[in-house]
Amino acid sequence: MTFYQFTTLFVQSSFVAFIILLLFKVRKKLGLSVLYASLGLFQFVQIFLSNSIDSNYPTNHLISQGSSIFVTVTLFALLIIYIKEDAKETKKVIYALFLVNLLITLLLQVFNWKIEDPLIDNAIANSAKPFKNSPYISTVSNIAILLDSLILIILFEFIAKKTRFLFLQIFITMIIVVSFDTIFYATLSFWKSDKLIPVITKGLQSKGILATYFSVLFYMYLRFLDTTDRDLVFFKIKDVFQPLSYKQKFETTAIDKKKVEEKYRLLTENSNDIICLQNVDSSFKYISPSIKKILGYDSKEFLGKKIFNYVHSDDIQKLRETIGKKLFITDYDNNAYTFRVKHKFGHYIWLEFITSAVYENNKISYFVTSARDITQRVLAKNKIESSLKLLEQKETSLNEASKLAKIGYWEYIKTSERVNWSEYIHVIYESDVKKTAPKREEIFKKFDKESQLKISKANKELDENGTPYDLELKLINNNKRVVWIRNVVQPIYDENKKIIGRRGVLQDITENKNINIKLKESEEKFFKIFKNSLNLIILNSFDEHKIVDVNDAAARISGYTPEELIGTVNIQARIWKSQRKRNIYFNRLIKNGSVKNFESEFITKSGELRIWKANAEIILIGNKKYVLSIIEDITEIRLAQNKLKSQNEFVIAMTENQNAGIVACNDKGEIVLFNKTAKEWHGVDILKIPQEKWAENYGLYKSDYKTLLKKEEIPLMQAFNGKILTNEEIVIKSVNQEPRIVLCNGASFHDNKGKKLGAVVVMNDITHQKLIEKNLRDSKDEIKKALIAAERSKFLLNESGRITRVGAWELDLITENVSWSDQIFKIHGLPIGTIPPLDKLMKYYVNGSEEILQQAIDICIAENKSFNLELNFKNEQNELLWLNVIGYSEVNSNGETIFLRGVLQDITEKK
């Protein structure tokens, strides 16, 4: 073989091998059909080359490319398919190659008949010469490839058992098979030729060289390029040197099956667990001999019987439910179930059962059950349950304590310039838990300037001297929320005692800090109220009754200075006029823990008798009880109220003793005044009935004695609706009384802003005059008398307000409109009709009275509580007055305060 021949053979074989391996490599994407098609093409090319180039075999050209390259590579393709796929796939390829060669032979034979036709031109016949085919040689070739394939499989199986090296398996198999192919094909094809021996020699050389070369290529492919094939059934990377053929796999599987069966038999017979098979009705069809060792029974005693005969009575229901569930499951249930089973000697053994259903035709055929003696485990479990509960409680307590403490850990190493911290610090900063802690500079910027100065100073001391620190710091977290933290830090040392960083814990103390801040603010507010209150505030120790503290109002109210009162007990007893009331007061305080609005008479240092209203409550300061008392001097208020009460009684007496009937209604048209004379005339008292029923219930008729008054004709309603009544004549026909003719005079009345406050009607009985006199003059004289009486009544009412220096006021909270009576204008020193704005009105109250009044108004609006205060007041003429201010609220149907009403009384002379 020349160098040129060798090089040509090498290039051709490399190209063909590359095609085969490439198509095999991509078989998962393209399938094996492309590879099979290529092998069929190779068969055609082999025959073509055999007929065109190798037909005469010149002495200097005894190497057949068709036989040497394509036959050899075809056999290698069969072998790799056999190794990497399976025998079934290889069988398909062998049959396909045989049929392809057979079809090519038949087609070429038919083609040759056409070429040999005498009518065909010689030039055409010569050009078709490569397609002339010897049926005999084609048949030999077909038989050879079929025998090669069979020998290839059998021989590879044999050699694979003798050596574990894949390369040797491939190489030896291919050398033998190509040698057989060369000798078999050459002998039968050229047995009459004198070139038989050279053909065999050259064929063995060329195919042997190619077999060696292809063995290397295919081995390298299997070893390095096809190891990631995840779909292979029998091959893994570690098994590349030990591939098994289909037959080997079958034989190995059969042997392994026998081994498994033997192991299973040994396992069931020697296992410490009970292994049994149960029918669907739970009866036993097999049970392992280990039952003797665990329960004391022989296997035969259990066959055909059910487990219910041996299970503890308390566990039977649970067992039935378990079996019932297994009858309906479709997958294996590997949950373990525990039951007590009776030993042959009478005691019970705890067994743990694991049962799986075996299916045939989608129906449960039987159950496979294993049971293990867990008696000792159950006993041990019972012994340690209490310990486990205690441990669990302890761990839970520790976890909850850590969570409630709001503590996180952090660490900073100088060399890394990074901060590492625990998850809870992310909660404090409200940052992403999944992300690492930010850089130290970014963290430092979160603190306010004061905290930054503290940190810098403390870190410097720690880095230089190793001094740990404990600081309370303020920061603004990622969500702009203010957080107070406690930062406890200590240095980190290396093995050379050099400070390399610092570590510490952060605790969120925001809640406690805010409480302390609010507590401090409350203490400051309380101190201001305590010192500046116009009322006497006393703090007593509960047990010793000694005065611990007292405000500056003590001297003004009691006559005693704070220095005289603090630390004493006797003075407190002396100032009570009635010791009986003192005992009632303290008994109520001890029983209820507080006393509200307790009024009693007290004696001041000067001996003056005063009326005080006391409110007291028991409070805790530290762990000691104290009594906080607030005492208000209400002497003037009570005197004024008594005087006002007398004046009211005078007015009422005056109204009740009028000969005229007087009725009045409020701004809602509801009757609020029905004097004695009116009651006598009508025969009834004020009735809470609708206006439409007034005429009917009060017996109100027109002067014809027959026509009942309509609602709008009733004198009080006419006056309420804005009409000024003058000598309106009606008849009152009350039950069991003679009809009474009355003249009605009346009108509505308004405040200084024109708001209607109600209406009043004065009725004069003219029945007697009507009966005696028939003329109009007499009637006018009687009316005149009635008007004089009415004017006298109105004069008396107005004079009562002026004499007592009492004025009425009203505040509309919705519109913020203020209404005053005339007396209020006089108290302020303002002309009637001129009411200043609300904010200026409060400025008239001086010496701390503005704050007291504002607080009382706020409480009245919020809690619907009235107030009664004595306040300092300076009017427009800069006269300093004392006013008794009384106010109450009026709410709507929703419970919302909409009006404040009350009175002001000038009590300067009394003070």
Side-chain angles (χ1 to χ4, degrees):
M1 181 184 295
T2 65
F3 176 77
Y4 174 77
Q5 292 176 327
F6 181 82
T7 303
T8 302
L9 187 65
F10 174 77
V11 173
Q12 293 172 343
S13 59
S14 298
F15 177 72
V16 173
F18 172 76
I19 292 175
I20 292 296
L21 293 177
L22 177 62
L23 293 176
F24 190 78
K25 180 66 178 178
V26 299
R27 68 190 185 283
K28 299 302 178 183
K29 295 183 179 180
L30 302 180
L32 287 171
S33 59
V34 181
L35 178 60
Y36 296 166
S38 298
L39 293 176
L41 177 63
F42 291 166
Q43 301 307 305
F44 176 78
V45 174
Q46 174 193 349
I47 294 174
F48 177 82
L49 294 175
S50 176
N51 292 335
S52 62
I53 300 175
D54 306 329
S55 58
N56 296 318
Y57 283 94
T59 55
N60 61 345
H61 187 74
L62 297 178
I63 298 175
S64 172
Q65 286 89 345
S67 182
S68 299
I69 298 175
F70 292 109
V71 171
T72 306
V73 82
T74 299
L75 294 175
F76 267 99
L78 288 173
L79 182 58
I80 197 172
I81 292 171
Y82 182 72
I83 293 173
K84 297 298 287 184
E85 298 296 326
D86 55 26
K88 184 177 180 181
E89 197 66 36
T90 308
K91 183 169 66 175
K92 291 179 182 178
V93 180
I94 294 172
Y95 290 162
L97 291 175
F98 180 78
L99 291 174
V100 166
N101 286 328
L102 183 61
L103 288 173
I104 291 174
T105 301
L106 293 175
L107 289 173
L108 291 177
Q109 187 60 38
V110 173
F111 189 69
N112 287 337
W113 293 341
K114 185 65 176 177
I115 293 174
E116 293 174 355
D117 188 342
L119 299 177
I120 295 297
D121 186 73
N122 289 333
I124 295 175
N126 290 331
S127 64
K129 183 178 180 181
F131 296 97
K132 290 185 178 181
N133 182 47
S134 170
Y136 173 75
I137 293 176
S138 297
T139 302
V140 171
S141 177
N142 286 345
I143 294 172
I145 196 69
L146 180 61
L147 292 176
D148 290 343
S149 302
L150 297 176
I151 295 171
L152 180 74
I153 304 303
I154 296 170
L155 190 59
F156 182 78
E157 293 286 350
F158 175 78
I159 295 173
K161 295 178 182 179
K162 301 299 181 181
T163 178
R164 58 187 294 272
F165 297 108
L166 179 62
F167 176 74
L168 291 178
Q169 295 172 9
I170 297 173
F171 176 71
I172 296 172
T173 300
M174 291 307 301
I175 287 294
I176 295 174
V177 173
V178 297
S179 299
F180 167 78
D181 178 80
T182 301
I183 296 171
F184 178 82
Y185 176 76
T187 302
L188 294 182
S189 299
F190 304 102
W191 61 278
K192 294 182 179 181
S193 174
D194 55 356
K195 299 178 182 178
L196 176 60
I197 298 302
V199 169
I200 293 174
T201 302
K202 294 294 184 179
L204 290 174
Q205 290 177 357
S206 60
K207 289 184 180 180
I209 292 171
L210 290 176
T212 304
Y213 178 57
F214 286 156
S215 296
V216 174
L217 289 180
F218 278 62
Y219 167 73
M220 296 300 289
Y221 171 81
L222 292 173
R223 177 66 178 85
F224 298 107
L225 299 179
D226 207 39
T227 58
T228 57
D229 190 351
R230 302 298 182 189
D231 297 329
L232 297 179
V233 178
F234 297 102
F235 277 86
K236 297 181 181 178
I237 295 176
K238 65 180 183 178
D239 298 323
V240 170
F241 293 101
Q242 304 178 46
L244 294 176
S245 65
Y246 181 81
K247 183 178 180 182
Q248 285 176 288
K249 297 167 189 174
F250 178 79
E251 292 174 352
T252 302
T253 302
I255 295 171
D256 290 343
K257 181 175 179 297
K258 291 181 180 179
K259 290 180 180 179
V260 169
E261 290 175 348
E262 180 63 19
K263 288 179 181 179
Y264 181 75
R265 184 185 65 79
L266 293 173
L267 177 64
T268 54
E269 292 181 358
N270 298 284
S271 174
N272 290 327
D273 296 346
I274 300 173
I275 300 173
C276 57
L277 304 180
Q278 292 173 272
N279 294 314
V280 175
D281 63 356
S282 79
S283 62
F284 291 97
K285 58 188 295 187
Y286 169 80
I287 192 162
S288 63
S290 55
I291 192 172
K292 178 75 174 179
K293 181 170 57 176
I294 296 176
L295 295 175
Y297 301 97
D298 290 329
S299 301
K300 296 179 181 179
E301 296 182 62
F302 262 72
L303 296 179
K305 296 182 179 179
K306 297 183 178 181
I307 189 64
F308 301 107
N309 301 328
Y310 302 93
V311 172
H312 194 285
S313 59
D314 292 343
D315 297 338
I316 287 179
Q317 183 60 33
K318 179 182 176 182
L319 176 61
R320 290 186 185 277
E321 292 175 358
T322 303
I323 293 177
K325 290 178 181 177
K326 286 186 175 292
L327 288 174
F328 297 99
I329 61 173
T330 57
D331 296 316
Y332 288 103
D333 182 3
N334 292 321
N335 293 327
Y337 301 92
T338 57
F339 305 103
R340 287 166 288 181
V341 180
K342 190 174 183 180
H343 194 277
K344 190 171 184 178
F345 296 149
H347 60 278
Y348 283 89
I349 303 295
W350 281 96
L351 295 182
E352 182 181 71
F353 294 85
I354 297 178
T355 301
S356 297
V358 179
Y359 293 85
E360 291 183 3
N361 298 325
N362 294 325
K363 292 184 179 180
I364 296 177
S365 177
Y366 59 91
F367 294 108
V368 177
T369 303
S370 65
R372 176 172 296 177
D373 184 356
I374 60 167
T375 304
Q376 295 302 320
R377 191 207 311 174
V378 172
L379 295 176
K381 179 182 178 182
N382 292 335
K383 289 181 181 179
I384 65 173
E385 271 185 353
S386 58
S387 299
L388 289 175
K389 287 181 180 179
L390 290 174
L391 180 61
E392 183 179 355
Q393 291 173 357
K394 182 178 179 181
E395 290 179 352
T396 302
S397 299
L398 289 174
N399 291 335
E400 288 298 320
S402 177
K403 182 179 179 181
L404 292 174
K406 300 181 179 179
I407 291 176
Y409 170 81
W410 64 269
E411 183 178 79
Y412 165 69
I413 304 299
K414 293 181 180 179
T415 55
S416 65
E417 284 295 325
R418 296 294 296 183
V419 177
N420 297 316
W421 61 28
S422 64
E423 183 175 326
Y424 191 77
I425 298 185
H426 281 288
V427 177
I428 294 175
Y429 281 87
E430 296 189 41
S431 55
D432 191 346
V433 177
K434 297 179 181 179
K435 295 183 179 179
T436 58
K439 293 182 179 180
R440 189 168 61 95
E441 294 78 10
E442 296 176 18
I443 298 172
F444 187 74
K445 291 178 182 178
K446 297 290 184 182
F447 294 91
D448 66 354
K449 291 185 178 181
E450 183 180 353
S451 297
Q452 289 178 358
L453 291 174
K454 289 182 182 179
I455 294 171
S456 299
K457 182 178 178 181
N459 284 342
K460 182 179 179 182
E461 187 67 23
L462 183 143
D463 292 339
E464 293 177 356
N465 304 317
T467 306
Y469 60 84
D470 185 347
L471 300 175
E472 288 188 1
L473 306 169
K474 180 182 178 182
L475 63 86
I476 309 297
N477 69 12
N478 292 339
N479 285 336
K480 307 302 180 184
R481 187 171 65 87
V482 176
V483 180
W484 282 92
I485 62 169
R486 181 186 177 193
N487 193 16
V488 182
V489 185
Q490 63 182 17
I492 301 175
Y493 296 92
D494 61 9
E495 62 276 6
N496 298 321
K497 302 298 182 181
K498 181 181 177 181
I499 297 176
I500 60 172
R502 45 188 174 267
R503 66 169 61 93
V505 291
L506 284 182
Q507 183 179 19
D508 185 348
I509 60 171
T510 306
E511 185 176 354
N512 292 336
K513 194 70 177 179
N514 289 337
I515 290 173
N516 291 334
I517 292 172
K518 290 180 180 178
L519 181 60
K520 185 177 180 181
E521 292 174 352
S522 297
E523 289 174 349
E524 291 174 353
K525 290 179 181 178
F526 175 79
F527 180 78
K528 289 179 180 179
I529 294 172
F530 181 80
K531 289 298 181 183
N532 300 317
S533 175
L534 296 177
N535 295 328
L536 172 60
I537 302 177
I538 302 174
L539 184 66
N540 294 76
S541 62
F542 180 79
D543 297 327
E544 301 172 348
H545 302 292
K546 287 184 179 180
I547 295 177
V548 177
D549 201 358
V550 66
N551 69 342
D552 297 336
R556 179 177 57 80
I557 294 177
S558 68
Y560 295 97
T561 64
E563 292 75 14
E564 291 176 309
L565 292 173
I566 293 174
T568 64
V569 177
N570 296 331
I571 293 178
Q572 296 182 75
R574 290 201 304 267
I575 63 177
W576 285 84
K577 179 184 178 183
S578 171
Q579 290 300 315
R580 184 184 65 82
K581 276 204 167 186
R582 182 174 184 267
N583 294 335
I584 293 173
Y585 174 81
F586 282 106
N587 289 336
R588 190 178 297 176
L589 178 64
I590 293 170
K591 180 180 178 181
N592 301 326
S594 64
V595 175
K596 303 293 184 183
N597 301 323
F598 189 88
E599 294 185 14
S600 183
E601 293 178 325
F602 293 83
I603 303 172
T604 65
K605 183 178 179 180
S606 63
E608 184 182 0
L609 189 65
R610 306 292 292 179
I611 301 173
W612 291 354
K613 181 170 69 175
N615 289 274
E617 186 171 352
I618 298 174
I619 62 174
L620 281 175
I621 302 178
N623 294 321
K624 192 173 180 181
K625 288 183 178 180
Y626 292 86
V627 178
L628 179 65
S629 304
I630 301 176
I631 298 172
E632 179 185 3
D633 189 342
I634 60 171
T635 307
E636 281 72 21
I637 295 175
R638 289 292 176 263
L639 292 175
Q641 287 176 342
N642 291 334
K643 186 174 182 179
L644 183 62
K645 182 179 179 182
S646 299
Q647 292 172 347
N648 289 337
E649 289 175 352
F650 172 77
V651 173
I652 291 172
M654 181 183 64
T655 304
E656 290 293 308
N657 290 298
Q658 289 288 324
N659 291 326
I662 303 174
V663 293
C665 65
N666 59 16
D667 59 341
K668 296 180 180 179
E670 299 169 344
I671 296 177
V672 294
L673 176 62
F674 215 60
N675 74 342
K676 181 180 177 181
T677 301
K679 294 175 186 176
E680 291 175 353
W681 290 355
H682 291 81
V684 292
D685 202 342
I686 297 177
L687 298 176
K688 292 184 177 180
I689 56 176
Q691 298 166 348
E692 292 79 5
K693 299 287 185 180
W694 283 1
E696 179 182 348
N697 285 275
Y698 293 120
L700 307 179
Y701 291 84
K702 292 183 177 181
S703 57
D704 63 2
Y705 288 78
K706 296 179 181 180
T707 306
L708 196 67
L709 294 179
K710 297 179 181 180
K711 170 186 171 182
E712 61 273 11
E713 296 173 337
I714 298 172
L716 184 60
M717 290 306 302
Q718 292 186 58
F720 181 76
N721 291 329
K723 182 179 180 180
I724 299 175
L725 297 177
T726 304
N727 298 332
E728 185 85 21
E729 184 177 318
I730 66 169
V731 176
I732 300 174
K733 295 170 65 176
S734 60
V735 180
N736 299 325
Q737 291 190 32
E738 292 295 328
R740 192 181 307 273
I741 304 171
V742 296
L743 284 179
C744 301
N745 293 273
S748 59
F749 51 91
H750 304 75
D751 60 14
N752 58 349
K753 286 192 174 182
K755 181 181 178 181
K756 184 190 295 183
L757 299 178
V760 63
V761 173
V762 178
M763 299 175 290
N764 289 280
D765 186 354
I766 59 171
T767 306
H768 183 67
Q769 287 83 346
K770 281 286 185 179
L771 293 174
I772 298 174
E773 301 177 3
K774 303 293 184 181
N775 54 62
L776 181 61
R777 184 180 59 190
D778 293 338
S779 297
K780 288 182 178 180
D781 291 339
E782 291 298 324
I783 291 173
K784 185 176 181 180
K785 293 179 182 179
L787 289 175
I788 293 172
E791 289 177 359
R792 183 183 301 112
S793 298
K794 184 176 181 181
F795 170 77
L796 291 174
L797 289 172
N798 290 332
E799 279 298 300
S800 65
R802 185 183 64 79
I803 292 171
T804 58
R805 298 184 179 181
V806 175
W809 58 269
E810 181 182 73
L811 170 61
D812 187 334
L813 295 176
I814 298 176
T815 63
E816 295 188 353
N817 289 331
V818 179
S819 301
W820 284 353
S821 67
D822 294 349
Q823 190 63 31
I824 299 292
F825 288 102
K826 292 179 181 180
I827 292 173
H828 282 75
L830 295 170
I832 295 176
T834 304
I835 301 178
L838 276 176
D839 54 350
K840 186 176 180 181
L841 288 177
M842 298 301 292
K843 301 298 181 182
Y844 286 103
Y845 296 89
V846 296
N847 298 331
S849 295
E850 179 184 356
E851 291 80 4
I852 295 172
L853 178 58
Q854 185 62 57
Q855 184 179 6
I857 291 174
D858 292 341
I859 293 173
C860 183
I861 294 172
E863 302 179 11
N864 195 21
K865 290 185 178 180
S866 62
F867 56 87
N868 190 334
L869 306 172
E870 290 184 2
L871 304 174
N872 278 134
F873 182 88
K874 183 177 288 187
N875 63 15
E876 284 292 328
Q877 285 72 39
N878 287 324
E879 295 175 336
L880 187 62
L881 306 176
W882 277 92
L883 297 185
N884 181 198
V885 182
I886 300 173
Y888 62 93
S889 62
E890 181 178 333
V891 298
N892 60 15
S893 58
N894 297 324
E896 299 172 344
T897 302
I898 57 173
F899 285 103
L900 291 182
R901 293 191 177 95
V903 296
L904 297 181
Q905 182 180 20
D906 184 354
I907 59 173
T908 307
E909 293 180 0
K910 300 176 183 178
K911 297 295 285 188

